[in-house]
Amino acid sequence: MRAMVFLGQEDIQVQEYPDPVPEEGEVLIRVEACGICGTDLHAYKTGMYAPGVVIGHEFGGVVAAVGAGVVSFRPGDRVTASPGIGCGRCFLCRQDAENLCEQSVKLGVTDDGAMAELVRVPQSGVHHVPENLSLKEACFTEPFSIALHGLNQSRLRLGDRVAIIGAGPIGLCLLQTLRMAGAGAVWVVEPNPFRLDLAMRLGADRVLNPREVSPLNVVSHLTNGSMADIVFECAGFPETITQAPMLVRRGGQVVVLGICDQPVDMDFLSIITSEMDIQTAYYSKASEFARTIDFMAKGSLRAAPLITLEVPFERVVESFRTLLSPDSNQMKVLVRPAL
Ligand SMILES: [Zn+2]
Ligand SMILES: [Zn+2]
């Protein structure tokens, strides 16, 4: 089969790769579409994935074959899969914290992923895709489930006024989950005008371009000086994580979803003396993944507006470079093996 293989920093290639064979308890999936994720872009820049691994972890496809012992899936079933699949046996998995499992399968990170014609996945990570959800939309189950987990990690109350820093796919998925969950106002901070426009169309009350205004001043003005109840950091830069607490009210909360591998400067004195809660969110749980599919099937969470381009394997490298440019007018690029 053909697959996008991660070779190292700024080096991914489409290669001829051995067809995966499903082992006991595994499902072999023919990939219809696979999204390029911000984490993939980060790995491309820094080299953080395992060399030789097939990338891709946001996908939808059709079951091609099943290994021994698989009863819930049959060839022809439309499916998606959670990319982080807990071992099911360790202390954390038994505490309903399988997103933190240290022995988990991580598709497209340490284990071969779905930017390929075929991918094999342990059955516990595979989910059926309802008829009214396309396999292209199914690629968004993962980013929406990350947003759902971020929201579940927060202490959002009905009517809370929140700010989102970063309007990439995760920020815009979170915006939709916050609307669904009854946030009173959602303000989005992002320097890219294309992304700000999309944020407005997806229900932001106000978008703030830090190249034009001071988010600090605007949020202060909007709240009569008290600042936001919660800030969700979805950009993952050291500077934006440093800024997040400044937008939060005394006694409020920062939830960090952005992945940052650099040290971050924090003014801990003001964090402590305002009794601010700093919360993180990592991956999502199987239960959240399943609920995300329900919300998408009901139409409460909309993936289609986020799809801006579909490309064959040959255009993946070019798409990575486009997505990494600060003024990119792409949001989610889907890789389609059949194109
Ligand atoms: Zn992702
Ligand atoms: Zn485990």
Side-chain angles (χ1 to χ4, degrees), residues 35-40 49 57-58 83 139 142-143 146 170 332:
I36 298 176
C37 173
T39 313
D40 298 331
Y49 285 171
H57 61 264
E58 307 177 348
C139 296
E142 192 261 354
I146 300 285
I170 295 294
K332 184 60 78 180

Side-chain angles (χ1 to χ4, degrees), residues 86-94 98 100-104:
C87 72
R89 297 179 302 275
C90 73
F91 172 77
L92 291 160
C93 283
R94 284 185 281 117
E98 72 274 13
L100 304 179
C101 172
E102 288 181 298
Q103 287 98 49
S104 65

Side-chain angles (χ1 to χ4, degrees), residues 5-8 43 47-55 108-112:
V5 181
F6 185 83
L7 297 171
M48 78 174 179
Y49 285 171
V53 80
V54 176
I55 61 171
V109 177
T110 51
D111 300 270
D112 283 341

Side-chain angles (χ1 to χ4, degrees), residues 29-109:
I29 302 166
R30 183 163 293 282
V31 178
E32 173 80 19
C34 178
I36 298 176
C37 173
T39 313
D40 298 331
L41 301 175
H42 188 76
Y44 182 76
K45 273 198 302 190
T46 62
M48 78 174 179
Y49 285 171
V53 80
V54 176
I55 61 171
H57 61 264
E58 307 177 348
F59 68 103
V62 174
V63 174
V66 295
V70 174
V71 290
S72 308
F73 300 96
R74 286 183 308 198
D77 285 359
R78 301 161 76 254
V79 292
T80 183
S82 162
I85 305 157
C87 72
R89 297 179 302 275
C90 73
F91 172 77
L92 291 160
C93 283
R94 284 185 281 117
Q95 302 292 314
D96 190 32
E98 72 274 13
N99 57 318
L100 304 179
C101 172
E102 288 181 298
Q103 287 98 49
S104 65
V105 169
K106 289 189 169 66
L107 295 178
V109 177

